C-alpha cells in the first residue's frame, strides 16, 4: 500500500471511519494515526530546508501501539523510519514501513 498519497491514515476497528482496518479485538475503534508532517531538515552542506516525514501517534487506545516492540506514549508523534515495525494492541500482525527503493521490495509488492 502506498501510504504517501494521503496526508494521514486512521487505523482502528471502526470500518466506517478508518482508512486501515485493524480487526483484532484488542484494537480500539480509532486506535492510531500515521501522519505525514512537514519538518525542518538540514542538508549535508548545512543549508536548511523542509522535508515531509511519516509519524505515528497512538490515539489513547486501550491496549497501546508498539514501534519496534516498544510501547509508545499516547498523543505523541514518533518519527517512522525505513523498516520500522508497527503493531497495534495485542494483534500479532506487523506493519513494516518500506519505500520503493527498499532492498528486497519487488515491483507490485506494497
Amino acid at each position: 500500500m502506498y501510504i504517501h498519497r494521503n496526508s494521514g491514515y486512521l487505523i482502528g476497528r471502526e470500518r466506517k471511519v478508518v482508512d486501515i482496518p485493524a480487526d483484532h479485538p484488542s484494537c480500539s475503534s480509532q486506535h492510531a494515526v500515521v501522519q505525514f508532517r512537514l519538518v525542518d531538515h538540514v542538508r549535508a552542506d548545512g543549508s536548511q530546508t523542509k522535508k515531509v516525514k511519516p509519524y505515528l501517534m497512538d490515539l489513547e487506545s486501550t491496549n497501546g501501539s508498539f514501534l519496534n516492540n516498544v510501547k509508545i506514549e499516547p498523543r505523541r508523534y514518533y518519527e517512522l523510519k525505513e523498516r520500522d515495525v508497527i503493531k497495534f494492541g495485542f494483534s500479532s500482525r506487523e506493519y513494516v514501513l518500506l519505500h520503493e527503493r527498499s532492498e528486497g521490495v519487488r515491483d507490485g509488492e506494497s
Side-chain angles (χ1 to χ4, degrees), residues 8-21 28-32 59:
Y9 289 88
L10 182 60
I11 299 132
R13 283 195 351 248
E14 193 174 339
R15 285 184 169 265
K16 291 181 181 178
V17 177
V18 301
D19 301 300
I20 301 172
S28 297
S29 57
Q30 295 181 32
H31 196 98
L59 300 175

Side-chain angles (χ1 to χ4, degrees), residues 12-110:
R13 283 195 351 248
E14 193 174 339
R15 285 184 169 265
K16 291 181 181 178
V17 177
V18 301
D19 301 300
I20 301 172
D23 293 328
H24 196 273
S26 69
C27 294
S28 297
S29 57
Q30 295 181 32
H31 196 98
V33 65
V34 172
Q35 185 170 5
F36 290 87
R37 302 176 69 199
L38 184 65
V39 295
D40 293 326
H41 176 73
V42 179
R43 293 184 180 136
D45 65 5
S47 62
Q48 295 275 339
T49 186
K50 299 276 187 187
K51 190 172 185 178
V52 176
K53 294 183 177 184
Y55 287 81
L56 173 68
M57 179 191 288
D58 181 86
L59 300 175
E60 298 183 314
S61 65
T62 303
N63 296 305
S65 299
F66 298 82
L67 179 57
N68 300 319
N69 292 318
V70 176
K71 188 173 185 177
I72 64 173
E73 293 179 37
R75 296 183 304 145
R76 180 173 168 230
Y77 283 109
Y78 289 82
E79 183 180 342
L80 297 174
K81 298 187 167 104
E82 183 181 12
R83 303 222 182 264
D84 275 349
V85 177
I86 304 167
K87 291 177 73 172
F88 304 107
F90 301 121
S91 173
S92 60
R93 181 167 290 173
E94 296 180 337
Y95 300 85
V96 180
L97 187 71
L98 300 173
H99 59 70
E100 290 177 332
R101 295 174 307 280
S102 293
E103 186 177 318
V105 176
R106 292 177 279 164
D107 289 339
E109 282 186 10
S110 32

